[in-house]
Amino acid sequence: MRHLIDILDLSTQELDQIIAKANDIIDNPGEYSEKCHGKKLATLFFEPSTRTRLSFEAAMYELGGNVLGFSEAKSSSSAKGESVADTASVLSFYADIMAMRHPKEGAPLVAAMNSTVPVINAGDGGHNHPTQTLTDLLTINREKGRFDNLTVGFCGDLKFGRTVHSLIMALTRYANNKIVLISPMELRLPSYIKDTLDKLNIEYIESESLEAVMPELDILYMTRVQRERFFNEEDYLRLKDSYILNPEKLTTAKEDLRIMHPLPRVNEISTAVDKDPRACYFRQAMYGKYVRMSLILYLLGIE
Ligand code: NCD
Protein backbone atom coordinates (compact mmCIF):
# COMPACT_ATOMS: atom_id res chain seq x y z
CA MET A 1 0.00 0.00 0.00
CA ARG A 2 1.25 3.49 -0.89
CA HIS A 3 0.56 6.88 0.69
CA LEU A 4 1.43 10.33 -0.66
CA ILE A 5 2.79 12.44 2.19
CA ASP A 6 5.76 14.12 0.52
CA ILE A 7 6.08 14.70 -3.23
CA LEU A 8 9.41 12.83 -3.17
CA ASP A 9 7.55 9.70 -2.00
CA LEU A 10 6.97 9.31 -5.74
CA SER A 11 9.87 8.36 -8.01
CA THR A 12 10.50 10.49 -11.09
CA GLN A 13 9.09 7.67 -13.19
CA GLU A 14 5.93 7.61 -11.07
CA LEU A 15 5.55 11.39 -11.35
CA ASP A 16 5.83 11.14 -15.13
CA GLN A 17 3.35 8.25 -15.18
CA ILE A 18 0.76 10.14 -13.08
CA ILE A 19 1.09 13.20 -15.34
CA ALA A 20 0.78 11.06 -18.48
CA LYS A 21 -2.35 9.39 -17.12
CA ALA A 22 -3.87 12.79 -16.24
CA ASN A 23 -3.31 13.86 -19.85
CA ASP A 24 -5.04 10.70 -21.04
CA ILE A 25 -7.99 11.39 -18.71
CA ILE A 26 -8.31 14.89 -20.22
CA ASP A 27 -8.38 13.36 -23.71
CA ASN A 28 -10.62 10.38 -22.94
CA PRO A 29 -12.77 11.17 -19.88
CA GLY A 30 -15.44 8.63 -20.83
CA GLU A 31 -13.02 5.75 -20.42
CA TYR A 32 -12.55 6.57 -16.75
CA SER A 33 -16.13 7.26 -15.68
CA GLU A 34 -16.67 3.89 -13.93
CA LYS A 35 -13.12 3.07 -12.81
CA CYS A 36 -13.84 3.73 -9.13
CA HIS A 37 -17.32 2.24 -9.04
CA GLY A 38 -18.00 1.07 -5.48
CA LYS A 39 -15.00 2.92 -4.01
CA LYS A 40 -15.13 5.69 -1.41
CA LEU A 41 -12.83 8.65 -0.84
CA ALA A 42 -12.84 10.30 2.60
CA THR A 43 -11.91 13.99 2.69
CA LEU A 44 -10.77 14.93 6.20
CA PHE A 45 -10.26 18.68 6.13
CA PHE A 46 -9.26 20.33 9.41
CA GLU A 47 -8.45 23.61 7.59
CA PRO A 48 -10.30 25.72 5.01
CA SER A 49 -10.12 24.69 1.37
CA THR A 50 -12.00 25.28 -1.86
CA ARG A 51 -9.97 23.84 -4.73
CA THR A 52 -8.19 20.99 -3.04
CA ARG A 53 -11.20 19.46 -1.32
CA LEU A 54 -13.70 20.07 -4.09
CA SER A 55 -11.37 18.95 -6.86
CA PHE A 56 -10.72 15.74 -4.90
CA GLU A 57 -14.46 15.23 -4.57
CA ALA A 58 -15.14 16.07 -8.22
CA ALA A 59 -12.30 13.72 -9.20
CA MET A 60 -13.82 10.81 -7.27
CA TYR A 61 -17.31 11.46 -8.67
CA GLU A 62 -15.93 11.62 -12.22
CA LEU A 63 -14.33 8.22 -11.62
CA GLY A 64 -17.73 6.83 -10.64
CA GLY A 65 -16.87 6.63 -6.93
CA ASN A 66 -18.36 8.20 -3.83
CA VAL A 67 -17.17 10.70 -1.26
CA LEU A 68 -17.63 11.18 2.48
CA GLY A 69 -15.94 13.51 4.95
CA PHE A 70 -15.91 16.79 6.76
CA SER A 71 -14.70 20.25 5.81
CA GLU A 72 -13.89 21.78 9.19
CA ALA A 73 -12.35 20.54 12.40
CA LYS A 74 -15.27 21.70 14.52
CA SER A 75 -17.69 19.31 12.83
CA SER A 76 -15.42 16.32 13.50
CA SER A 77 -14.55 14.50 16.73
CA SER A 78 -11.24 16.37 16.89
CA ALA A 79 -13.36 19.09 18.52
CA LYS A 80 -13.95 16.56 21.33
CA GLY A 81 -10.22 15.86 21.59
CA GLU A 82 -9.83 12.83 19.32
CA SER A 83 -6.30 12.27 17.98
CA VAL A 84 -5.46 12.20 14.27
CA ALA A 85 -4.22 8.64 14.78
CA ASP A 86 -7.61 7.46 16.09
CA THR A 87 -9.56 9.34 13.40
CA ALA A 88 -7.40 7.70 10.71
CA SER A 89 -7.72 4.18 12.05
CA VAL A 90 -11.49 4.49 12.24
CA LEU A 91 -11.83 6.08 8.78
CA SER A 92 -9.95 3.10 7.34
CA PHE A 93 -13.11 1.06 8.01
CA TYR A 94 -15.30 3.51 6.13
CA ALA A 95 -13.29 4.52 3.06
CA ASP A 96 -10.89 3.03 0.49
CA ILE A 97 -8.63 6.09 0.38
CA MET A 98 -8.42 9.35 2.31
CA ALA A 99 -7.18 12.88 1.72
CA MET A 100 -6.29 14.89 4.83
CA ARG A 101 -5.56 18.59 5.32
CA HIS A 102 -4.40 19.68 8.74
CA PRO A 103 -2.85 22.82 10.30
CA LYS A 104 -0.18 20.72 12.03
CA GLU A 105 2.90 19.70 10.09
CA GLY A 106 3.16 15.92 10.03
CA ALA A 107 -0.50 15.15 10.82
CA PRO A 108 -1.10 13.27 7.53
CA LEU A 109 2.04 11.22 8.22
CA VAL A 110 0.61 10.23 11.60
CA ALA A 111 -2.65 9.34 9.84
CA ALA A 112 -0.75 7.18 7.33
CA MET A 113 0.98 5.31 10.13
CA ASN A 114 -2.41 4.41 11.59
CA SER A 115 -4.42 3.80 8.43
CA THR A 116 -4.95 0.57 6.54
CA VAL A 117 -5.88 2.49 3.35
CA PRO A 118 -3.83 5.02 1.32
CA VAL A 119 -3.54 8.49 2.88
CA ILE A 120 -2.93 11.58 0.78
CA ASN A 121 -1.50 14.74 2.32
CA ALA A 122 -3.78 17.55 1.13
CA GLY A 123 -1.64 20.20 2.87
CA ASP A 124 -0.02 20.05 6.31
CA GLY A 125 0.57 23.42 7.97
CA GLY A 126 3.38 25.42 6.41
CA HIS A 127 5.15 22.22 5.34
CA ASN A 128 4.09 20.34 2.20
CA HIS A 129 1.31 20.11 -0.35
CA PRO A 130 2.16 17.30 -2.76
CA THR A 131 -1.11 17.20 -4.71
CA GLN A 132 -0.80 20.90 -5.50
CA THR A 133 2.62 20.01 -6.86
CA LEU A 134 1.11 17.33 -9.11
CA THR A 135 -1.34 20.02 -10.27
CA ASP A 136 1.57 22.39 -10.89
CA LEU A 137 3.55 19.74 -12.78
CA LEU A 138 0.60 18.95 -15.04
CA THR A 139 0.23 22.69 -15.67
CA ILE A 140 3.92 23.06 -16.51
CA ASN A 141 3.73 20.00 -18.75
CA ARG A 142 0.78 21.40 -20.69
CA GLU A 143 1.95 25.01 -20.81
CA LYS A 144 5.70 24.59 -21.31
CA GLY A 145 6.00 21.00 -22.55
CA ARG A 146 8.97 20.19 -20.33
CA PHE A 147 10.12 19.89 -16.70
CA ASP A 148 13.80 20.68 -17.32
CA ASN A 149 15.82 23.74 -18.39
CA LEU A 150 13.38 26.12 -16.73
CA THR A 151 14.03 29.26 -14.72
CA VAL A 152 11.25 29.27 -12.15
CA GLY A 153 10.60 32.31 -9.96
CA PHE A 154 8.74 31.82 -6.68
CA CYS A 155 7.37 35.08 -5.33
CA GLY A 156 5.70 36.01 -2.05
CA ASP A 157 5.54 33.96 1.13
CA LEU A 158 8.28 31.38 0.63
CA LYS A 159 8.52 30.71 4.36
CA PHE A 160 5.02 29.42 5.04
CA GLY A 161 3.99 28.62 1.45
CA ARG A 162 3.73 24.82 1.47
CA THR A 163 3.00 24.65 -2.27
CA VAL A 164 6.35 26.37 -2.90
CA HIS A 165 8.23 23.88 -0.73
CA SER A 166 6.79 20.85 -2.50
CA LEU A 167 7.18 22.22 -6.05
CA ILE A 168 10.81 23.19 -5.47
CA MET A 169 11.55 19.66 -4.29
CA ALA A 170 9.85 18.19 -7.36
CA LEU A 171 11.84 20.47 -9.69
CA THR A 172 15.09 19.12 -8.24
CA ARG A 173 14.26 15.83 -9.95
CA TYR A 174 14.72 17.33 -13.43
CA ALA A 175 17.88 18.66 -15.07
CA ASN A 176 19.07 22.25 -15.36
CA ASN A 177 16.30 24.04 -13.54
CA LYS A 178 17.16 27.33 -11.93
CA ILE A 179 15.19 28.53 -8.91
CA VAL A 180 14.69 32.26 -8.30
CA LEU A 181 13.41 33.06 -4.81
CA ILE A 182 11.66 36.43 -4.55
CA SER A 183 10.47 37.44 -1.09
CA PRO A 184 10.88 39.95 1.71
CA MET A 185 13.67 39.04 4.17
CA GLU A 186 11.19 37.78 6.77
CA LEU A 187 9.47 35.41 4.35
CA ARG A 188 12.50 33.72 2.80
CA LEU A 189 12.56 30.02 1.97
CA PRO A 190 13.36 27.91 5.07
CA SER A 191 17.03 27.01 5.33
CA TYR A 192 16.35 23.26 5.45
CA ILE A 193 15.14 23.48 1.85
CA LYS A 194 18.06 25.70 0.77
CA ASP A 195 20.43 23.17 2.36
CA THR A 196 18.87 20.46 0.21
CA LEU A 197 19.28 22.61 -2.91
CA ASP A 198 22.93 23.14 -1.99
CA LYS A 199 23.50 19.43 -1.48
CA LEU A 200 21.92 18.61 -4.82
CA ASN A 201 23.87 21.38 -6.56
CA ILE A 202 20.69 23.08 -7.76
CA GLU A 203 21.25 26.66 -8.81
CA TYR A 204 19.19 29.25 -6.93
CA ILE A 205 19.29 32.96 -6.18
CA GLU A 206 17.39 35.11 -3.69
CA SER A 207 16.05 38.55 -4.57
CA GLU A 208 13.83 41.04 -2.84
CA SER A 209 12.92 42.63 -6.16
CA LEU A 210 10.53 41.02 -8.62
CA GLU A 211 11.31 43.63 -11.29
CA ALA A 212 15.03 42.80 -11.17
CA VAL A 213 14.54 39.15 -12.09
CA MET A 214 11.42 39.30 -14.27
CA PRO A 215 13.22 39.21 -17.67
CA GLU A 216 14.88 35.84 -17.01
CA LEU A 217 11.84 33.87 -15.82
CA ASP A 218 10.14 31.07 -17.75
CA ILE A 219 7.61 30.58 -14.97
CA LEU A 220 6.52 33.02 -12.28
CA TYR A 221 4.84 31.24 -9.37
CA MET A 222 3.02 33.86 -7.29
CA THR A 223 1.80 33.10 -3.77
CA ARG A 224 -0.41 34.63 -1.12
CA VAL A 225 1.07 35.75 2.20
CA GLN A 226 -0.17 33.01 4.56
CA ARG A 227 -2.01 35.08 7.15
CA GLU A 228 -3.10 32.05 9.21
CA ARG A 229 0.52 31.07 9.91
CA PHE A 230 1.60 34.46 11.31
CA PHE A 231 2.13 34.96 15.02
CA ASN A 232 0.87 38.54 14.94
CA GLU A 233 -1.45 40.52 12.73
CA GLU A 234 0.86 43.55 12.52
CA ASP A 235 3.55 41.56 10.73
CA TYR A 236 0.96 40.23 8.32
CA LEU A 237 -0.38 43.70 7.57
CA ARG A 238 3.13 45.03 6.98
CA LEU A 239 4.08 42.20 4.61
CA LYS A 240 0.85 41.28 2.84
CA ASP A 241 1.22 43.63 -0.11
CA SER A 242 4.97 43.17 -0.63
CA TYR A 243 4.38 42.12 -4.25
CA ILE A 244 1.49 43.04 -6.46
CA LEU A 245 1.82 41.78 -10.01
CA ASN A 246 0.26 44.11 -12.56
CA PRO A 247 0.46 44.49 -16.37
CA GLU A 248 3.15 47.17 -16.08
CA LYS A 249 5.53 44.85 -14.22
CA LEU A 250 5.07 42.27 -16.96
CA THR A 251 6.35 44.52 -19.75
CA THR A 252 9.91 43.20 -19.30
CA ALA A 253 8.82 39.54 -19.04
CA LYS A 254 9.37 36.87 -21.69
CA GLU A 255 6.61 36.42 -24.22
CA ASP A 256 6.30 32.76 -23.29
CA LEU A 257 6.39 33.35 -19.54
CA ARG A 258 3.71 31.45 -17.65
CA ILE A 259 2.21 33.00 -14.51
CA MET A 260 1.04 30.41 -12.00
CA HIS A 261 -0.64 30.71 -8.60
CA PRO A 262 -2.06 27.88 -6.47
CA LEU A 263 -4.95 30.20 -5.51
CA PRO A 264 -6.68 31.63 -3.53
CA ARG A 265 -5.44 35.02 -4.69
CA VAL A 266 -5.76 37.95 -2.33
CA ASN A 267 -3.98 41.09 -3.65
CA GLU A 268 -0.81 39.71 -5.16
CA ILE A 269 -2.04 39.56 -8.75
CA SER A 270 -4.13 42.42 -10.06
CA THR A 271 -7.24 41.20 -11.90
CA ALA A 272 -6.01 43.15 -14.93
CA VAL A 273 -3.40 40.38 -15.39
CA ASP A 274 -6.10 37.73 -15.79
CA LYS A 275 -6.63 38.43 -19.47
CA ASP A 276 -2.91 38.25 -20.27
CA PRO A 277 -2.44 34.98 -22.22
CA ARG A 278 0.56 34.24 -20.03
CA ALA A 279 -1.66 33.97 -16.93
CA CYS A 280 -2.57 30.32 -16.43
CA TYR A 281 -3.74 30.12 -12.81
CA PHE A 282 -7.33 29.31 -13.63
CA ARG A 283 -6.31 26.57 -16.06
CA GLN A 284 -4.00 25.35 -13.29
CA ALA A 285 -6.99 24.96 -10.96
CA MET A 286 -8.81 22.98 -13.66
CA TYR A 287 -5.85 20.60 -14.08
CA GLY A 288 -6.00 19.88 -10.35
CA LYS A 289 -9.09 17.75 -10.82
CA TYR A 290 -7.57 15.61 -13.57
CA VAL A 291 -4.31 15.01 -11.77
CA ARG A 292 -6.18 13.98 -8.62
CA MET A 293 -8.20 11.51 -10.70
CA SER A 294 -4.92 10.08 -11.93
CA LEU A 295 -3.46 9.94 -8.41
CA ILE A 296 -6.53 8.20 -6.93
CA LEU A 297 -6.32 5.51 -9.64
CA TYR A 298 -2.61 5.10 -9.01
CA LEU A 299 -2.86 4.73 -5.24
CA LEU A 300 -5.82 2.36 -5.52
CA GLY A 301 -3.88 0.26 -8.03
CA ILE A 302 -6.57 0.64 -10.71
CA GLU A 303 -5.34 0.40 -14.32
C1 NCD B 1 -2.78 26.57 -1.25
C2 NCD B 1 -2.68 25.92 0.11
O1 NCD B 1 -3.68 25.50 0.67
O2 NCD B 1 -1.55 25.81 0.57
N1 NCD B 1 -4.07 26.49 -1.78
C3 NCD B 1 -4.39 25.41 -2.54
O3 NCD B 1 -4.40 24.29 -2.08
N2 NCD B 1 -4.62 25.61 -3.84
C4 NCD B 1 -2.23 27.93 -1.29
C5 NCD B 1 -2.75 28.94 -0.32
O4 NCD B 1 -3.65 28.65 0.49
O5 NCD B 1 -2.26 30.06 -0.37
Side-chain angles (χ1 to χ4, degrees):
M1 187 190 39
R2 293 287 298 277
H3 305 287
L4 177 59
I5 304 303
D6 185 305
I7 192 65
L8 297 186
D9 293 345
L10 296 167
S11 67
T12 309
Q13 194 195 344
E14 287 176 312
L15 288 175
D16 293 342
Q17 199 179 321
I18 290 167
I19 299 302
K21 174 79 82 175
N23 278 315
D24 192 58
I25 296 171
I26 293 172
D27 293 340
N28 306 292
E31 284 181 24
Y32 293 88
S33 62
E34 290 301 323
K35 292 271 186 197
C36 282
H37 183 77
K39 300 282 185 197
K40 281 170 285 173
L41 163 76
T43 53
L44 316 182
F45 276 61
F46 296 87
E47 254 195 357
S49 171
T50 297
R51 271 150 295 274
T52 305
R53 185 172 64 84
L54 297 180
S55 69
F56 259 117
E57 298 196 353
M60 196 54 167
Y61 286 125
E62 291 198 20
L63 292 166
N66 286 297
V67 175
L68 66 163
F70 52 84
S71 56
E72 49 182 2
K74 69 173 191 282
S75 65
S76 80
S77 278
S78 77
K80 302 180 190 170
E82 185 171 56
S83 68
V84 163
D86 286 0
T87 304
S89 48
V90 170
L91 259 295
S92 302
F93 301 130
Y94 303 158
D96 301 283
I97 185 165
M98 57 181 108
M100 175 181 282
R101 168 169 291 189
H102 202 286
K104 287 212 176 93
E105 287 82 359
L109 176 62
V110 171
M113 288 159 59
N114 290 277
S115 168
T116 55
V117 303
V119 174
I120 301 168
N121 177 4
D124 63 327
H127 190 213
N128 284 329
H129 194 347
T131 67
Q132 181 63 44
T133 299
L134 293 175
T135 301
D136 299 339
L137 289 177
L138 178 60
T139 306
I140 294 171
N141 169 264
R142 295 189 69 95
E143 301 282 333
K144 302 296 291 183
R146 65 181 195 275
F147 292 142
D148 54 11
N149 294 293
L150 292 167
T151 299
V152 185
F154 291 88
C155 178
D157 187 346
L158 311 189
K159 181 179 182 187
F160 297 118
R162 56 195 176 193
T163 68
V164 170
H165 305 163
S166 294
L167 180 55
I168 288 178
M169 290 318 297
L171 289 172
T172 67
R173 285 282 185 75
Y174 301 91
N176 290 326
N177 288 322
K178 181 176 172 191
I179 310 290
V180 180
L181 303 167
I182 308 138
S183 75
M185 289 293 275
E186 290 101 317
L187 298 179
R188 279 182 299 176
L189 191 73
S191 48
Y192 77 91
I193 302 177
K194 285 190 270 185
D195 291 346
T196 307
L197 293 178
D198 286 332
K199 273 196 207 103
L200 295 170
N201 265 322
I202 310 284
E203 192 182 346
Y204 70 89
I205 59 159
E206 294 185 286
S207 167
E208 282 188 69
S209 161
L210 175 58
E211 287 87 334
V213 297
M214 186 68 90
E216 58 178 301
L217 304 180
D218 298 309
I219 293 172
L220 171 58
Y221 193 98
M222 294 296 296
T223 63
R224 159 182 86 86
V225 175
Q226 306 278 302
R227 180 180 207 158
E228 65 276 34
R229 315 258 179 251
F230 275 69
F231 294 111
N232 70 69
E233 185 73 2
E234 278 153 45
D235 286 347
Y236 169 73
L237 293 173
R238 184 167 48 82
L239 293 167
K240 72 182 175 68
D241 293 327
S242 300
Y243 303 96
I244 299 178
L245 185 65
N246 57 28
E248 200 205 328
K249 289 185 187 153
L250 282 165
T251 52
T252 62
K254 287 186 183 173
E255 251 173 58
D256 62 352
L257 170 77
R258 284 296 177 274
I259 306 158
M260 296 172 63
H261 191 308
L263 304 180
R265 151 175 68 185
V266 185
N267 270 333
E268 57 281 353
I269 303 181
S270 119
T271 53
V273 174
D274 297 358
K275 49 183 183 300
D276 188 310
R278 294 171 289 189
C280 64
Y281 28 90
F282 290 111
R283 291 196 290 282
Q284 187 181 350
M286 172 183 72
Y287 295 138
K289 179 183 72 180
Y290 296 108
V291 93
R292 290 183 173 101
M293 290 171 78
S294 177
L295 176 69
I296 290 169
L297 291 172
Y298 188 71
L299 294 178
L300 288 177
I302 296 171
E303 271 306 302

